[in-house]
Amino acid sequence: MKFTVGQVAQVLGGIVEGSASAEIASLAKIEEAGSGALAFLANAKYEHYLYTTGATAVIVSHGLVLRQPVATTLIRVADPYSGFSQLLEFYQQATRTGRRGVEQPAFMGESSTIGPNHYRGAFSYIGENCVLGENVQIFPHAYVGDRVRIGDNSIIHAGAKIYPDTVIGQRCVVKAGAVVGSDGFGFAPQPDGSYKAVPQIGNVVLEDDVSIGANTTVDCATLGSTVVRQGAKIDNLVQLAHNTEIGRHTVIAAQTGISGSSKVGEFCVLAGQVGLVGHISIANRTTLAAKTGLQKSVRQEGQVLQGYPAFPLVENQRSAVIYRRLPELERRVAALEKNAPAPEKS
Amino acid sequence: MKFTVGQVAQVLGGIVEGSASAEIASLAKIEEAGSGALAFLANAKYEHYLYTTGATAVIVSHGLVLRQPVATTLIRVADPYSGFSQLLEFYQQATRTGRRGVEQPAFMGESSTIGPNHYRGAFSYIGENCVLGENVQIFPHAYVGDRVRIGDNSIIHAGAKIYPDTVIGQRCVVKAGAVVGSDGFGFAPQPDGSYKAVPQIGNVVLEDDVSIGANTTVDCATLGSTVVRQGAKIDNLVQLAHNTEIGRHTVIAAQTGISGSSKVGEFCVLAGQVGLVGHISIANRTTLAAKTGLQKSVRQEGQVLQGYPAFPLVENQRSAVIYRRLPELERRVAALEKNAPAPEKS
Amino acid sequence: MKFTVGQVAQVLGGIVEGSASAEIASLAKIEEAGSGALAFLANAKYEHYLYTTGATAVIVSHGLVLRQPVATTLIRVADPYSGFSQLLEFYQQATRTGRRGVEQPAFMGESSTIGPNHYRGAFSYIGENCVLGENVQIFPHAYVGDRVRIGDNSIIHAGAKIYPDTVIGQRCVVKAGAVVGSDGFGFAPQPDGSYKAVPQIGNVVLEDDVSIGANTTVDCATLGSTVVRQGAKIDNLVQLAHNTEIGRHTVIAAQTGISGSSKVGEFCVLAGQVGLVGHISIANRTTLAAKTGLQKSVRQEGQVLQGYPAFPLVENQRSAVIYRRLPELERRVAALEKNAPAPEKS
């Protein structure tokens, strides 16, 4: 997919200084861009790259005053960053997520429906009694079980698995290999010490604008629903256990695990490799630092916690400093003991 | 799938008080149930919900004496919890795991056999020389490599991958995206600092009644077998490395990792995000708290350990309390030093 | 697949003592080998097993002097370990990774090409404008997006997903369920506290001889490339975020996570469950112990670090010892305080 500098300028409503017929094949950072690439300059700090860049063209602002001659072609616009962002979205759409039509063989139960302008990749599977909206994209090897509902403009990437009865909102993205709706880890101990699986008949609900990372797992509820609320963004390899609830616009980084029935509030940020025990809840706007292990509910909003057990980040950092010099602290105590007056008999 | 209250009562051998013709479409908790749902009441603590529930019907005991009028229909049985459990299992079977037959296209090597009453989903793959038992269910996109054996009543969920030579017992469940039998992480360092892969030709054995979680990985042995013993339950995103062995009826929670050649005993409980180094073993009935890092073998049975390095949970909690006030402890030491008599010259 | 002892001896250039017509069906450790198995003896420490082994044959050195009669057949060679390794590789090739041809149905975009002697499993998917080399093996359910390039002798295992524009070198192995090239976790916060996805249009580059573990995730770069350099070996369930770079011949164990834009040097060893924050770099030949949490760049080469925050392993172990006896240390301080002279007024 190639465009001329002139075509790009026209889309952005920009003015070309240089060769309008030069061809653009990729987008790149100004400091890394080579021939065929288009870059942008929005921050004066990077201006020096403009005079040495290998980019075929650079988007700059109308107001930029050149201090040296440039080898690259310029596209002048009102707001270079916003113009470049437009191109990024266009490029992503054109190359990655703009597919339409049905590749064969693809499987869809007869009782299921899908709206117009959809994509169903080869080897994609859609079960029975599913209702999928318009512009929905189901990539190759994606599995969509019976009675699943998926809202408009949502994307199920290659090999993602959506178990039966899952409800997915609009503009959601489920990345490759994610598993949504697998049975919760519920086992009833038997008298002989063995375990019997407790039937898991609930489902998962992803509200609008939710993103689920690659190879992340979201278990269905035992009864009722595991819920990821509007706009929450879940990274790769995260575990959301049965009956958990993730609040609106909360962000959870990679490899974090939320145990059964725990609830995370709105606008929270959980860093990577965090763990929550089951049956607790976290107040809105809580931040948990990487690797935090949370054992108790957090009731006060807006805290930043770290550690295992978790307590405020600033305090934790102070303790960590002393942890490192514990051997010295112990020597100091030993020195005091050596020189202490003989203890009174108690 | 809908049933009348009368049909449900008949299955449970119960007595209807109210409308036997009302329709049931789902099962729910009494406090969450709405129209069309069937709930149960087994614990007196929840009795007040009986008078306000939106459930179409509630299973209660013969002996329950109503203290207020109820709007819902009652199904009276001897043991409400056990009756409801029966329905849960029936419902799960009917909606999730009761599939039979072969959807096309499905792939099976000519030399492989599968017992009666099986399910092979569209795009499922079974290699050559496999022997699969009766009632086995292979969901869409599941991959079963050559020479795999799977016992009766086992379920391989969507997109699970079973590498060649794996042996799976009866009544096992391998959840979506799990990988069983991938090559172990074995590399021989070369004189130039690079690594050469050591061939991994062993296999994985899952004994009867084993459950493997979604996107969990179980590596094959270098030689011999990686073994998960009878009744062990493994949660999502767990890593079992080459030549590990997990004992009977042991439970391992999400995101835990067991390094190569380590052995976990029977009736153990490993919480989430635990890690074991390689070549150690754990005695029976050991419990490891979440995020524990175990570096040495545990020889005494029945301990509860926590931390990294791991030591008894109760001790660990005491140290954790003081960790939090380390800055204060250091100030106390400094105060003592300030007021201490001048140390003797040593 | 069976061979006679005589055939094996011929391949290895060895001399048979015993029955050359006995049949070999598997390879095993000398202490575990049963009938039909071939074992080896390279280390004098294991010689006693030679006299009790159930192996049908054992590879030994020309120089070995028997101290007792043996029931097993011997194959004498110059270097038993190296001979056995040859057989392991041959066996792995014959049983696991030696497939050729195309199983139907398989999907390949018309504009894509693949070199001679390849394998494309049933339900494998190759998009448009891909260039795949010779001896490439694409297992069932593997997904290869548009414009992907894969070098000679590389193997994409069952259900691995390779996103569009990924570049994979020669002799690479991508294990089952791994996801290479999924969108990075980049979201721009909006004024109302919600997040908007930042288009991710970069790619992933795996250089030659790279191994990617089962269910591991490697995100594409926002712009430019996420890079895994030559010979690096990545274990299962690892997260490599957008724009990360892993140096040549570096080894990363299971469940480790590298945050966005961080760079790991050459010949490093990262143990399991390690975590790195974003935008840091690690010097060559660094070792990070299991569960280490690294928050700052490591500039000095060759260090061994542990903990969170990370500091040298030896120091960390000393602090850990005292951590365990913190309650005792606090009691000692309290005892000193009790017996201390009254502090001067400050």
Side-chain angles (χ1 to χ4, degrees):
Chain A
M1 199 189 53
K2 291 186 177 179
F3 299 90
T4 65
V5 169
Q7 286 171 321
V8 172
Q10 197 166 13
V11 167
L12 299 180
I15 297 164
V16 178
E17 293 180 11
S19 165
S21 62
E23 283 193 333
I24 298 299
S26 67
L27 305 177
K29 296 181 195 172
I30 191 168
E31 65 269 33
E32 295 175 351
S35 179
L38 172 67
F40 77 105
L41 174 64
N43 185 331
K45 205 170 70 177
Y46 291 89
E47 188 189 321
H48 63 281
Y49 287 117
L50 185 64
Y51 308 110
T52 57
T53 183
T56 290
V58 180
I59 303 173
V60 301
S61 71
H62 286 305
L64 178 79
V65 180
L66 295 179
R67 293 186 292 185
Q68 296 179 32
V70 292
T72 187
T73 290
L74 303 181
I75 303 176
R76 289 192 181 265
V77 300
D79 179 348
Y81 178 70
S82 137
F84 193 72
S85 292
Q86 272 179 59
L87 294 176
L88 283 175
E89 284 184 33
F90 174 78
Y91 188 92
Q92 187 179 43
Q93 175 76 4
T95 63
R96 305 277 169 91
T97 59
R99 285 181 174 269
R100 294 295 179 261
V102 180
E103 295 168 346
Q104 290 300 343
F107 184 99
M108 186 163 81
E110 288 187 14
S111 51
S112 292
T113 62
I114 185 165
N117 205 27
H118 59 262
Y119 170 56
R120 290 168 48 212
F123 314 124
S124 63
Y125 180 99
I126 298 171
E128 297 175 358
N129 296 305
C130 296
V131 180
L132 282 61
E134 62 182 51
N135 296 317
V136 163
Q137 297 176 65
I138 309 293
F139 275 75
H141 309 118
Y143 164 80
V144 176
D146 297 343
R147 299 175 303 280
V148 168
R149 305 169 68 103
I150 301 181
D152 298 345
N153 302 300
S154 285
I155 304 177
I156 311 299
H157 280 273
K161 293 101 190 165
I162 314 296
Y163 272 65
D165 299 302
T166 301
V167 177
I168 297 182
Q170 298 189 19
R171 298 173 303 278
C172 288
V173 176
V174 179
K175 294 182 187 168
V179 175
V180 177
S182 44
D183 278 3
F185 194 62
F187 297 95
Q190 304 299 297
D192 65 352
S194 71
Y195 295 89
K196 184 159 181 278
V198 175
Q200 307 283 318
I201 69 160
N203 74 341
V204 173
V205 175
L206 307 181
E207 295 187 352
D208 296 341
D209 301 300
V210 163
S211 179
I212 300 291
N215 284 348
T216 278
T217 56
V218 184
D219 280 352
C220 76
T222 309
L223 275 175
S225 299
T226 300
V227 185
V228 183
R229 300 249 174 247
Q230 193 189 348
K233 310 298 185 191
I234 314 297
D235 200 356
N236 299 345
L237 294 169
V238 168
Q239 154 78 349
L240 303 183
H242 62 91
N243 293 87
T244 52
E245 182 180 328
I246 308 300
R248 291 167 57 241
H249 307 301
T250 276
V251 172
I252 300 184
Q255 297 174 322
T256 283
I258 313 292
S259 300
S261 301
S262 283
K263 302 200 185 314
V264 178
E266 301 179 354
F267 302 106
C268 293
V269 176
L270 277 58
Q273 300 181 341
V274 164
L276 266 70
V277 301
H279 299 275
I280 63 173
S281 64
I282 297 185
N284 297 339
R285 297 174 202 279
T286 300
T287 297
L288 300 182
K291 286 183 176 287
T292 292
L294 193 69
Q295 299 168 302
K296 291 181 182 171
S297 288
V298 176
R299 304 199 188 286
Q300 183 191 328
E301 294 198 7
Q303 294 188 85
V304 182
L305 304 174
Q306 188 188 36
Y308 175 50
F311 56 96
L313 175 73
V314 175
E315 287 183 50
N316 208 309
Q317 288 173 331
R318 283 190 205 120
S319 288
V321 166
I322 301 172
Y323 176 82
R324 183 162 180 178
R325 51 183 195 235
L326 274 183
E328 179 204 325
L329 186 66
E330 197 183 46
R331 279 192 300 272
R332 287 163 63 188
V333 171
L336 284 165
E337 287 168 336
K338 196 176 163 194
N339 291 292
E344 296 167 27
K345 306 291 179 194
S346 60
Chain B
M1 199 191 52
K2 292 186 176 179
F3 299 91
T4 64
V5 169
Q7 286 171 321
V8 172
Q10 198 165 14
V11 168
L12 300 179
I15 297 164
V16 178
E17 293 180 12
S19 164
S21 62
E23 283 193 332
I24 298 299
S26 66
L27 304 177
K29 298 181 194 171
I30 191 167
E31 65 269 34
E32 295 175 352
S35 178
L38 173 67
F40 77 105
L41 174 63
N43 185 332
K45 204 170 71 178
Y46 292 90
E47 189 190 321
H48 63 282
Y49 287 117
L50 185 63
Y51 309 111
T52 57
T53 184
T56 290
V58 180
I59 303 173
V60 301
S61 71
H62 286 305
L64 178 78
V65 180
L66 294 180
R67 292 186 293 184
Q68 295 178 31
V70 292
T72 187
T73 291
L74 303 181
I75 302 175
R76 289 192 181 264
V77 300
D79 178 349
Y81 178 70
S82 137
F84 193 73
S85 293
Q86 271 179 58
L87 293 177
L88 284 175
E89 285 185 32
F90 174 78
Y91 187 93
Q92 186 178 46
Q93 174 77 3
T95 62
R96 305 279 170 88
T97 58
R99 286 181 173 270
R100 294 295 178 261
V102 180
E103 295 167 347
Q104 291 300 342
F107 185 99
M108 187 163 81
E110 288 186 14
S111 51
S112 292
T113 62
I114 184 165
N117 204 27
H118 59 263
Y119 169 56
R120 290 168 49 212
F123 314 124
S124 63
Y125 181 100
I126 298 170
E128 297 174 358
N129 297 305
C130 295
V131 180
L132 281 61
E134 63 182 49
N135 297 318
V136 164
Q137 297 176 66
I138 309 292
F139 275 75
H141 308 119
Y143 164 80
V144 176
D146 297 344
R147 299 174 302 282
V148 167
R149 304 168 70 101
I150 301 180
D152 298 345
N153 302 299
S154 286
I155 303 178
I156 311 298
H157 279 272
K161 294 100 190 166
I162 314 296
Y163 272 65
D165 299 301
T166 300
V167 177
I168 297 181
Q170 298 188 19
R171 298 173 302 279
C172 288
V173 176
V174 179
K175 294 182 188 168
V179 175
V180 177
S182 45
D183 279 3
F185 194 62
F187 296 96
Q190 305 299 298
D192 66 353
S194 70
Y195 294 89
K196 185 159 181 277
V198 176
Q200 306 284 317
I201 69 160
N203 74 342
V204 173
V205 175
L206 308 181
E207 294 187 352
D208 296 340
D209 302 300
V210 164
S211 179
I212 300 290
N215 283 349
T216 278
T217 56
V218 185
D219 280 352
C220 76
T222 308
L223 275 175
S225 299
T226 300
V227 184
V228 183
R229 299 252 174 244
Q230 193 190 346
K233 310 298 185 192
I234 314 295
D235 200 356
N236 299 345
L237 294 168
V238 168
Q239 153 78 350
L240 303 182
H242 63 92
N243 294 86
T244 52
E245 184 181 327
I246 308 301
R248 290 167 58 242
H249 307 302
T250 276
V251 171
I252 299 184
Q255 297 175 320
T256 282
I258 313 291
S259 301
S261 300
S262 283
K263 302 201 186 312
V264 178
E266 301 179 352
F267 302 105
C268 293
V269 176
L270 277 58
Q273 300 181 340
V274 163
L276 267 69
V277 302
H279 299 274
I280 63 174
S281 63
I282 297 184
N284 297 340
R285 298 175 202 279
T286 299
T287 297
L288 299 182
K291 285 183 176 288
T292 293
L294 194 69
Q295 300 169 302
K296 290 181 183 170
S297 289
V298 175
R299 303 200 189 285
Q300 184 191 326
E301 293 197 9
Q303 295 188 85
V304 182
L305 304 174
Q306 189 188 34
Y308 174 52
F311 57 96
L313 175 74
V314 175
E315 288 183 49
N316 209 308
Q317 288 173 332
R318 282 189 206 122
S319 287
V321 166
I322 301 172
Y323 175 82
R324 183 162 179 178
R325 50 184 197 235
L326 274 183
E328 179 204 325
L329 185 66
E330 197 182 46
R331 279 193 300 272
R332 287 163 64 186
V333 171
L336 286 165
E337 287 169 335
K338 195 175 165 194
N339 291 292
E344 296 167 27
K345 306 291 179 196
S346 59
Chain C
M1 198 190 53
K2 291 184 177 181
F3 298 91
T4 64
V5 169
Q7 287 171 320
V8 172
Q10 197 165 12
V11 168
L12 299 180
I15 296 164
V16 178
E17 292 180 12
S19 165
S21 63
E23 283 193 333
I24 298 299
S26 66
L27 305 176
K29 297 181 194 172
I30 191 167
E31 66 268 34
E32 295 175 351
S35 178
L38 172 66
F40 77 105
L41 173 65
N43 184 332
K45 205 171 69 176
Y46 292 89
E47 188 189 321
H48 63 280
Y49 287 117
L50 185 63
Y51 308 110
T52 58
T53 184
T56 290
V58 180
I59 304 173
V60 301
S61 71
H62 286 306
L64 178 78
V65 180
L66 294 179
R67 293 186 292 184
Q68 296 178 31
V70 291
T72 187
T73 291
L74 302 182
I75 302 176
R76 289 192 182 266
V77 300
D79 178 349
Y81 178 71
S82 136
F84 193 72
S85 293
Q86 271 179 58
L87 293 176
L88 284 175
E89 285 186 32
F90 174 78
Y91 187 92
Q92 186 179 44
Q93 175 77 2
T95 62
R96 306 275 171 92
T97 58
R99 286 181 174 269
R100 295 295 179 262
V102 180
E103 296 167 346
Q104 291 301 342
F107 185 98
M108 187 163 80
E110 287 187 14
S111 50
S112 291
T113 62
I114 185 165
N117 206 27
H118 60 261
Y119 170 56
R120 290 167 48 212
F123 314 124
S124 63
Y125 180 99
I126 297 170
E128 297 175 358
N129 296 306
C130 295
V131 180
L132 282 61
E134 63 182 49
N135 297 317
V136 164
Q137 297 176 66
I138 309 293
F139 275 75
H141 309 118
Y143 164 79
V144 176
D146 297 343
R147 298 175 303 281
V148 167
R149 304 169 69 103
I150 301 181
D152 298 345
N153 303 299
S154 286
I155 303 177
I156 311 299
H157 280 272
K161 293 100 189 163
I162 314 294
Y163 272 66
D165 299 302
T166 300
V167 177
I168 297 181
Q170 298 188 19
R171 298 173 302 280
C172 288
V173 176
V174 179
K175 294 183 188 169
V179 175
V180 177
S182 46
D183 279 2
F185 195 61
F187 296 95
Q190 304 299 298
D192 65 353
S194 70
Y195 294 89
K196 184 159 182 276
V198 176
Q200 307 283 318
I201 69 161
N203 73 342
V204 173
V205 175
L206 308 181
E207 294 187 352
D208 296 341
D209 302 300
V210 164
S211 179
I212 300 291
N215 284 349
T216 278
T217 57
V218 185
D219 281 350
C220 76
T222 309
L223 275 175
S225 298
T226 300
V227 184
V228 183
R229 300 250 175 247
Q230 192 189 348
K233 310 298 185 190
I234 314 296
D235 200 355
N236 299 346
L237 294 168
V238 169
Q239 153 78 349
L240 302 183
H242 62 91
N243 293 87
T244 52
E245 183 179 328
I246 308 301
R248 291 166 59 241
H249 307 303
T250 276
V251 172
I252 299 184
Q255 298 175 319
T256 283
I258 312 291
S259 301
S261 300
S262 282
K263 302 200 186 313
V264 178
E266 301 180 353
F267 303 105
C268 293
V269 176
L270 276 59
Q273 301 181 339
V274 164
L276 266 69
V277 302
H279 299 274
I280 63 173
S281 63
I282 297 185
N284 297 339
R285 298 174 203 280
T286 299
T287 297
L288 300 182
K291 286 183 176 287
T292 293
L294 194 69
Q295 300 168 301
K296 291 182 181 169
S297 289
V298 175
R299 304 201 187 285
Q300 183 191 327
E301 293 198 6
Q303 294 187 85
V304 182
L305 304 175
Q306 188 188 35
Y308 174 52
F311 56 97
L313 175 73
V314 176
E315 288 183 50
N316 208 308
Q317 288 173 333
R318 283 190 205 121
S319 287
V321 167
I322 301 172
Y323 176 82
R324 183 163 179 177
R325 51 183 196 235
L326 273 183
E328 179 203 325
L329 186 65
E330 197 183 46
R331 280 192 299 273
R332 288 163 63 187
V333 171
L336 285 165
E337 286 168 336
K338 195 176 166 193
N339 291 291
E344 296 166 28
K345 306 290 179 195
S346 60

